[in-house]
Amino acid sequence: MRYADKETLHGDFTIVVFDDETFYPLNLIKLKDFQKEDFSFISEKKVDRKEWDAGDDTPSSFSYSIKKIENGHQIETEFKDPERTVWSTYQVVNNNIIPIKSRLYAFDYILLAMVLALLTIYGLNYIWKCFRIKLRVN
C-alpha cells in the first residue's frame, strides 16, 4: 500500500521489525525478500533506541517511536550512521506498511550540490560571454 504522493521516498526508507524481545531496522526495499514468520511491525514498547559501533569513531544508531492513530499505528524511525541520517514515517494498518514520508540528511549531497552549482555558474558565464561576443559582431 502507498500514500506518499506528496513526497518522493528515499531509497534508504527504514522500518522497524520486532522479533520477540528485540527490534532491528529493515530497509523497506528488502521487505519483499523478508521470509521470517515470527516478526511483527508493532511492539508494546512505544519508544526505543539502539546503538552499535561499526568501527568508526561515530557510532550508528536506530530509534523508533510508535503513536496510536485512528485505524492503526504511525511509526517514526531514525537511522543514523557516520555518513547520513534517514527519518522515515509510515503507518501500520492490518500488518500492512503504508509509507508516508522520509527525509534524508547526507553530507555527500552537500558536496555534490556545490560542484553542480559551480559547474552551472561556469556554464552560464561561458554562455554569457559567447552571447556578448555575438552582440558585438552584429
Side-chain angles (χ1 to χ4, degrees), residues 1-2 28 31 41-42 72-73 90-99:
M1 300 176 79
R2 185 168 177 112
L28 185 62
L31 183 61
F41 298 119
I42 302 297
H73 294 84
Y90 60 95
Q91 287 182 4
V92 177
V93 178
N94 297 328
N95 221 26
N96 291 315
I97 303 294
I98 305 170

Side-chain angles (χ1 to χ4, degrees), residues 49-54 56 58-62 79-82:
R49 178 182 177 88
K50 266 188 189 180
E51 287 191 11
W52 61 92
D53 187 13
D56 298 338
T58 308
S60 298
S61 66
F62 179 70
F79 184 80
K80 189 177 217 175
D81 66 18

Side-chain angles (χ1 to χ4, degrees), residues 9-68:
L9 294 175
H10 294 95
D12 293 337
F13 194 96
T14 308
I15 64 172
V16 61
V17 177
F18 300 95
D19 183 11
D20 296 329
E21 299 286 322
T22 187
F23 70 95
Y24 50 92
L26 180 67
N27 193 306
L28 185 62
I29 295 170
K30 296 179 182 177
L31 183 61
K32 63 183 176 192
D33 300 327
F34 196 65
Q35 297 292 326
K36 193 162 185 189
E37 297 296 324
D38 300 329
F39 70 91
S40 173
F41 298 119
I42 302 297
S43 172
E44 296 296 322
K45 196 169 185 181
K46 301 299 180 197
V47 177
D48 206 349
R49 178 182 177 88
K50 266 188 189 180
E51 287 191 11
W52 61 92
D53 187 13
D56 298 338
D57 291 337
T58 308
S60 298
S61 66
F62 179 70
S63 62
Y64 71 87
S65 170
I66 301 175
K67 298 174 183 146
K68 180 79 172 142

Side-chain angles (χ1 to χ4, degrees), residues 129-138:
K129 285 180 182 179
C130 290
F131 184 69
R132 282 186 19 203
I133 290 173
K134 287 185 180 182
L135 284 177
R136 287 184 193 162
V137 172
N138 294 330

Side-chain angles (χ1 to χ4, degrees), residues 78-114:
E78 179 185 273
F79 184 80
K80 189 177 217 175
D81 66 18
E83 297 173 2
R84 63 185 64 219
T85 302
V86 180
W87 295 271
S88 306
T89 303
Y90 60 95
Q91 287 182 4
V92 177
V93 178
N94 297 328
N95 221 26
N96 291 315
I97 303 294
I98 305 170
I100 297 174
K101 65 180 178 179
S102 65
R103 288 185 321 166
L104 172 69
Y105 171 78
F107 187 72
D108 55 347
Y109 286 120
I110 294 171
L111 294 177
L112 179 62
M114 287 175 32

